[in-house]
Amino acid sequence: MASQGLQQSILGLIRDVPDYPKPGVLFKDITPLLDDSAAFQAVVTAMAEAAGDVTKVVGLEARGFLLAAPVALALGVGVVPVRKSGKLPSETYAETYDLEYGTATIEIHRDALRPGDRVLIVDDVLATGGTAAAAASLVRKSGAEAAGLSVLMELTFLDGRDRLTDLPIHTLVAV
Ligand SMILES: O=P(O)(O)OC[C@H]1O[C@H](OP(=O)(O)OP(=O)(O)O)[C@H](O)[C@@H]1O
Ligand SMILES: Nc1ncnc2[nH]cnc12
């Protein structure tokens, strides 16, 4: 978890949007945080400091990209996109999974990672854990090690951690 001060700052900059994208979902909108450069910088620094010894950062489309790229730059390693199905131009590995509000397929380029890579997966929100579990599976299909998952916010009531018992998880705030 982040320091108390950073947690308060993050919580104050995440907007709750009821019934988006469908009734019953309380959507956590991170756009106010992204628009606050001091808070955004503090989030990126905290994620990078917790990363450990990794050789690549994998960012999850779409909001994960906004965090993964600056974290990778802060760590001095490359960033690899995991994209929704059909968006990557070259050969891919694919995984289909359930979301809090639907199902999705994500993909990674087959040549993006290699054996020996220690990979930090970065996303904005950990909810049911389906996306992160699918991403970890793509990393392992690529022959690399899923070294950890770093998220800005964890929705603990959805028990995403229970699906990710083999992945160290770092969360800046939990609600
Ligand atoms: O833990 P889970 O239940 O899998 O949910 C978390 C995922 O859901 C959201 O992505 P979404 O698929 O809405 O995509 P977006 O970032 O493109 O909006 C969020 O950015 C995470 O990637
Ligand atoms: N409630 C939520 N808010 C934002 N992103 C999410 N991803 C899955 N559930 C979410």
Side-chain angles (χ1 to χ4, degrees):
M1 297 282 247
S3 67
Q4 284 289 339
L6 181 54
Q7 286 188 51
Q8 287 314 311
S9 145
I10 292 169
L11 289 169
L13 288 166
I14 291 181
R15 172 168 55 189
D16 284 352
V17 182
D19 300 321
Y20 181 88
K22 66 177 202 189
V25 175
L26 183 64
F27 190 84
K28 300 290 181 181
D29 175 20
I30 67 165
T31 60
L33 188 149
L34 297 171
D35 193 31
D36 182 315
S37 65
F40 187 17
Q41 177 68 67
V43 160
V44 169
T45 300
M47 284 181 150
E49 282 175 356
D53 181 23
V54 298
T55 60
K56 293 278 183 201
V57 171
V58 158
L60 309 188
E61 185 174 359
R63 286 169 277 149
F65 291 170
L66 293 160
L67 296 168
V71 168
L73 285 175
L75 292 170
V77 301
V79 62
V80 171
V82 160
R83 297 212 61 181
K84 306 273 166 65
S85 148
K87 296 287 189 180
L88 287 171
S90 191
E91 295 256 308
T92 63
Y93 296 114
E95 281 286 333
T96 297
Y97 61 101
D98 291 324
L99 269 176
E100 192 187 357
Y101 35 72
T103 68
T105 299
I106 55 174
E107 297 182 304
I108 193 169
H109 272 147
R110 285 188 178 229
D111 60 359
L113 301 173
R114 45 182 71 80
D117 272 327
R118 296 180 304 281
V119 177
L120 178 70
I121 299 165
V122 171
D123 207 352
D124 63 333
V125 172
L126 172 62
T128 65
T131 308
S137 168
L138 291 177
V139 168
R140 292 178 186 127
K141 273 187 188 172
S142 308
E145 176 193 349
L149 168 70
S150 183
V151 294
L152 174 59
M153 171 170 276
E154 178 176 356
L155 307 183
T156 53
F157 64 95
L158 291 169
D159 297 324
R161 267 176 195 268
D162 296 351
R163 296 172 72 161
L164 300 165
T165 48
D166 49 356
L167 195 62
I169 301 170
H170 183 261
T171 303
L172 292 180
V173 292
V175 294

